[in-house]
Short mmCIF file of all heavy atoms in Angstrom, two decimals:
data_model
loop_
_atom_site.label_atom_id
_atom_site.label_comp_id
_atom_site.label_asym_id
_atom_site.label_seq_id
_atom_site.Cartn_x
_atom_site.Cartn_y
_atom_site.Cartn_z
N ALA W 935 -4.44 -4.24 27.03
CA ALA W 935 -4.53 -4.95 28.31
C ALA W 935 -4.08 -6.40 28.10
O ALA W 935 -4.31 -7.00 27.05
CB ALA W 935 -5.96 -4.91 28.84
N GLY W 936 -3.46 -6.97 29.12
CA GLY W 936 -3.06 -8.37 29.03
C GLY W 936 -1.79 -8.58 28.25
O GLY W 936 -0.87 -7.76 28.30
N ARG W 937 -1.73 -9.66 27.48
CA ARG W 937 -0.48 -10.06 26.84
C ARG W 937 -0.39 -9.70 25.36
O ARG W 937 0.50 -10.18 24.66
CB ARG W 937 -0.27 -11.57 27.00
CG ARG W 937 -1.36 -12.44 26.44
CD ARG W 937 -1.20 -13.89 26.92
NE ARG W 937 -2.23 -14.77 26.39
CZ ARG W 937 -2.11 -15.47 25.26
NH1 ARG W 937 -1.00 -15.39 24.55
NH2 ARG W 937 -3.09 -16.25 24.87
N ALA W 938 -1.30 -8.87 24.87
CA ALA W 938 -1.24 -8.44 23.48
C ALA W 938 -1.59 -6.97 23.36
O ALA W 938 -2.40 -6.45 24.13
CB ALA W 938 -2.19 -9.27 22.61
N PHE W 939 -0.97 -6.31 22.40
CA PHE W 939 -1.42 -4.97 22.02
C PHE W 939 -2.73 -5.12 21.26
O PHE W 939 -3.75 -4.57 21.64
CB PHE W 939 -0.36 -4.28 21.15
CG PHE W 939 -0.75 -2.89 20.72
CD1 PHE W 939 -0.47 -1.81 21.54
CD2 PHE W 939 -1.39 -2.67 19.51
CE1 PHE W 939 -0.84 -0.52 21.14
CE2 PHE W 939 -1.76 -1.40 19.12
CZ PHE W 939 -1.49 -0.32 19.94
N SER W 940 -2.69 -5.91 20.20
CA SER W 940 -3.91 -6.27 19.48
C SER W 940 -3.61 -7.36 18.48
O SER W 940 -2.58 -7.32 17.79
CB SER W 940 -4.50 -5.05 18.75
OG SER W 940 -5.58 -5.46 17.92
N ALA W 941 -4.52 -8.32 18.39
CA ALA W 941 -4.38 -9.43 17.44
C ALA W 941 -4.94 -9.09 16.06
O ALA W 941 -5.02 -9.96 15.20
CB ALA W 941 -5.07 -10.67 17.98
N GLY W 942 -5.34 -7.83 15.84
CA GLY W 942 -5.86 -7.43 14.55
C GLY W 942 -7.36 -7.63 14.45
O GLY W 942 -8.07 -7.71 15.47
N LEU W 943 -7.87 -7.67 13.24
CA LEU W 943 -9.30 -7.79 13.00
C LEU W 943 -9.92 -8.95 13.76
O LEU W 943 -9.40 -10.07 13.74
CB LEU W 943 -9.57 -7.97 11.50
CG LEU W 943 -11.02 -8.27 11.09
CD1 LEU W 943 -11.93 -7.10 11.41
CD2 LEU W 943 -11.09 -8.64 9.61
N ASP W 944 -11.02 -8.68 14.44
CA ASP W 944 -11.78 -9.73 15.12
C ASP W 944 -12.59 -10.47 14.08
O ASP W 944 -13.65 -10.02 13.64
CB ASP W 944 -12.69 -9.10 16.18
CG ASP W 944 -13.36 -10.14 17.05
OD1 ASP W 944 -13.54 -11.29 16.59
OD2 ASP W 944 -13.73 -9.82 18.19
N LEU W 945 -12.10 -11.64 13.68
CA LEU W 945 -12.76 -12.41 12.63
C LEU W 945 -14.12 -12.92 13.08
O LEU W 945 -15.03 -13.09 12.26
CB LEU W 945 -11.87 -13.57 12.20
CG LEU W 945 -10.53 -13.17 11.55
CD1 LEU W 945 -9.68 -14.40 11.28
CD2 LEU W 945 -10.77 -12.40 10.25
N VAL W 946 -14.27 -13.17 14.39
CA VAL W 946 -15.57 -13.61 14.90
C VAL W 946 -16.59 -12.50 14.73
O VAL W 946 -17.72 -12.71 14.26
CB VAL W 946 -15.46 -14.03 16.38
CG1 VAL W 946 -16.83 -14.33 16.96
CG2 VAL W 946 -14.54 -15.24 16.52
N ASP W 947 -16.22 -11.29 15.12
CA ASP W 947 -17.11 -10.14 14.97
C ASP W 947 -17.46 -9.91 13.51
O ASP W 947 -18.62 -9.68 13.15
CB ASP W 947 -16.45 -8.89 15.55
CG ASP W 947 -17.27 -7.63 15.34
OD1 ASP W 947 -18.34 -7.51 15.97
OD2 ASP W 947 -16.85 -6.77 14.54
N ALA W 948 -16.45 -10.00 12.63
CA ALA W 948 -16.69 -9.79 11.21
C ALA W 948 -17.64 -10.85 10.66
O ALA W 948 -18.53 -10.56 9.85
CB ALA W 948 -15.37 -9.81 10.44
N GLY W 949 -17.45 -12.11 11.11
CA GLY W 949 -18.33 -13.19 10.66
C GLY W 949 -19.75 -13.01 11.13
O GLY W 949 -20.71 -13.26 10.39
N GLU W 950 -19.91 -12.55 12.38
CA GLU W 950 -21.25 -12.34 12.92
C GLU W 950 -21.96 -11.20 12.19
O GLU W 950 -23.16 -11.27 11.94
CB GLU W 950 -21.16 -12.04 14.42
CG GLU W 950 -20.76 -13.25 15.25
CD GLU W 950 -20.56 -12.90 16.71
OE1 GLU W 950 -20.51 -11.68 17.03
OE2 GLU W 950 -20.43 -13.84 17.53
N ARG W 951 -21.21 -10.17 11.86
CA ARG W 951 -21.80 -9.05 11.11
C ARG W 951 -22.27 -9.52 9.74
O ARG W 951 -23.33 -9.14 9.25
CB ARG W 951 -20.81 -7.90 10.97
CG ARG W 951 -20.42 -7.26 12.31
CD ARG W 951 -19.41 -6.14 12.10
NE ARG W 951 -20.02 -5.02 11.41
CZ ARG W 951 -20.73 -4.07 12.01
NH1 ARG W 951 -20.92 -4.11 13.32
NH2 ARG W 951 -21.24 -3.08 11.32
N HIS W 952 -21.45 -10.38 9.12
CA HIS W 952 -21.82 -10.92 7.81
C HIS W 952 -23.06 -11.80 7.92
O HIS W 952 -23.97 -11.73 7.08
CB HIS W 952 -20.65 -11.72 7.23
CG HIS W 952 -20.93 -12.33 5.90
ND1 HIS W 952 -21.02 -11.60 4.73
CD2 HIS W 952 -21.19 -13.62 5.55
CE1 HIS W 952 -21.28 -12.40 3.73
NE2 HIS W 952 -21.39 -13.64 4.20
N ALA W 953 -23.11 -12.62 8.97
CA ALA W 953 -24.25 -13.52 9.17
C ALA W 953 -25.55 -12.74 9.41
O ALA W 953 -26.64 -13.19 9.03
CB ALA W 953 -23.97 -14.47 10.33
N ARG W 954 -25.44 -11.59 10.04
CA ARG W 954 -26.61 -10.75 10.29
C ARG W 954 -27.07 -10.02 9.05
O ARG W 954 -28.13 -9.39 9.03
CB ARG W 954 -26.32 -9.72 11.39
CG ARG W 954 -26.16 -10.30 12.78
CD ARG W 954 -26.27 -9.20 13.83
NE ARG W 954 -25.30 -8.14 13.63
CZ ARG W 954 -24.10 -8.09 14.22
NH1 ARG W 954 -23.74 -9.07 15.03
NH2 ARG W 954 -23.28 -7.09 14.00
N GLY W 955 -26.26 -10.07 8.02
CA GLY W 955 -26.61 -9.37 6.79
C GLY W 955 -26.19 -7.92 6.77
O GLY W 955 -26.69 -7.13 5.95
N ASP W 956 -25.27 -7.55 7.67
CA ASP W 956 -24.77 -6.18 7.64
C ASP W 956 -24.04 -5.94 6.32
O ASP W 956 -23.16 -6.71 5.93
CB ASP W 956 -23.80 -5.94 8.80
CG ASP W 956 -24.51 -5.97 10.15
OD1 ASP W 956 -25.74 -5.89 10.15
OD2 ASP W 956 -23.82 -6.09 11.18
N ASN W 957 -24.40 -4.87 5.67
CA ASN W 957 -23.84 -4.60 4.34
C ASN W 957 -22.72 -3.58 4.36
O ASN W 957 -22.24 -3.15 3.31
CB ASN W 957 -24.95 -4.10 3.40
CG ASN W 957 -26.01 -5.16 3.14
OD1 ASN W 957 -25.66 -6.33 2.94
ND2 ASN W 957 -27.27 -4.77 3.14
N ASP W 958 -22.31 -3.16 5.56
CA ASP W 958 -21.27 -2.15 5.61
C ASP W 958 -19.91 -2.74 5.21
O ASP W 958 -19.65 -3.92 5.39
CB ASP W 958 -21.17 -1.51 7.00
CG ASP W 958 -21.04 -2.57 8.11
OD1 ASP W 958 -21.10 -3.76 7.79
OD2 ASP W 958 -20.88 -2.17 9.28
N ASN W 959 -19.10 -1.90 4.62
CA ASN W 959 -17.73 -2.27 4.28
C ASN W 959 -16.86 -1.90 5.49
O ASN W 959 -16.60 -0.72 5.73
CB ASN W 959 -17.27 -1.52 3.03
CG ASN W 959 -15.88 -1.92 2.58
OD1 ASN W 959 -14.99 -2.11 3.40
ND2 ASN W 959 -15.69 -2.03 1.29
N ILE W 960 -16.45 -2.90 6.26
CA ILE W 960 -15.76 -2.63 7.52
C ILE W 960 -14.51 -1.79 7.30
O ILE W 960 -14.22 -0.87 8.08
CB ILE W 960 -15.41 -3.95 8.23
CG1 ILE W 960 -16.68 -4.65 8.71
CG2 ILE W 960 -14.48 -3.70 9.41
CD1 ILE W 960 -16.43 -5.98 9.39
N LEU W 961 -13.76 -2.09 6.25
CA LEU W 961 -12.53 -1.34 6.01
C LEU W 961 -12.82 0.13 5.70
O LEU W 961 -12.25 1.03 6.30
CB LEU W 961 -11.74 -1.96 4.86
CG LEU W 961 -10.98 -3.26 5.18
CD1 LEU W 961 -10.22 -3.73 3.96
CD2 LEU W 961 -10.04 -3.05 6.35
N ASP W 962 -13.70 0.37 4.74
CA ASP W 962 -13.96 1.74 4.31
C ASP W 962 -14.72 2.55 5.36
O ASP W 962 -14.52 3.76 5.48
CB ASP W 962 -14.76 1.75 3.01
CG ASP W 962 -13.92 1.32 1.82
OD1 ASP W 962 -12.68 1.29 1.95
OD2 ASP W 962 -14.50 1.02 0.76
N GLU W 963 -15.58 1.89 6.12
CA GLU W 963 -16.45 2.63 7.04
C GLU W 963 -15.90 2.72 8.46
O GLU W 963 -16.32 3.60 9.22
CB GLU W 963 -17.83 1.99 7.06
CG GLU W 963 -18.56 2.08 5.72
CD GLU W 963 -19.97 1.56 5.78
OE1 GLU W 963 -20.60 1.64 6.85
OE2 GLU W 963 -20.46 1.05 4.75
N TYR W 964 -14.96 1.85 8.82
CA TYR W 964 -14.47 1.86 10.20
C TYR W 964 -12.94 1.89 10.30
O TYR W 964 -12.37 2.77 10.96
CB TYR W 964 -15.02 0.65 10.96
CG TYR W 964 -16.52 0.63 11.02
CD1 TYR W 964 -17.26 -0.21 10.19
CD2 TYR W 964 -17.21 1.46 11.89
CE1 TYR W 964 -18.65 -0.22 10.23
CE2 TYR W 964 -18.59 1.46 11.95
CZ TYR W 964 -19.31 0.62 11.11
OH TYR W 964 -20.69 0.62 11.15
N PHE W 965 -12.25 0.94 9.67
CA PHE W 965 -10.81 0.86 9.82
C PHE W 965 -10.09 2.05 9.17
O PHE W 965 -9.24 2.68 9.80
CB PHE W 965 -10.28 -0.46 9.25
CG PHE W 965 -10.41 -1.62 10.21
CD1 PHE W 965 -11.62 -2.28 10.35
CD2 PHE W 965 -9.33 -2.04 10.95
CE1 PHE W 965 -11.75 -3.34 11.24
CE2 PHE W 965 -9.44 -3.11 11.84
CZ PHE W 965 -10.66 -3.75 11.99
N ALA W 966 -10.41 2.34 7.92
CA ALA W 966 -9.74 3.44 7.23
C ALA W 966 -10.01 4.79 7.90
O ALA W 966 -9.07 5.57 8.09
CB ALA W 966 -10.14 3.47 5.76
#
């Protein structure tokens, strides 16, 4: 939607997950 297909990884979301202490590996558990 809008003017982009996708800007890639949401660094804000990744940072918030890290700040919350989420221990999941985003690449292995979601992206891959």
Side-chain angles (χ1 to χ4, degrees):
R937 59 192 180 92
F939 180 87
S940 173
L943 173 65
D944 188 334
L945 296 175
V946 173
D947 176 69
E950 290 175 348
R951 295 179 68 84
H952 179 73
R954 290 196 303 266
D956 292 345
N957 294 319
D958 52 356
N959 183 320
I960 292 178
L961 284 182
D962 288 346
E963 295 185 29
Y964 300 102
F965 277 81

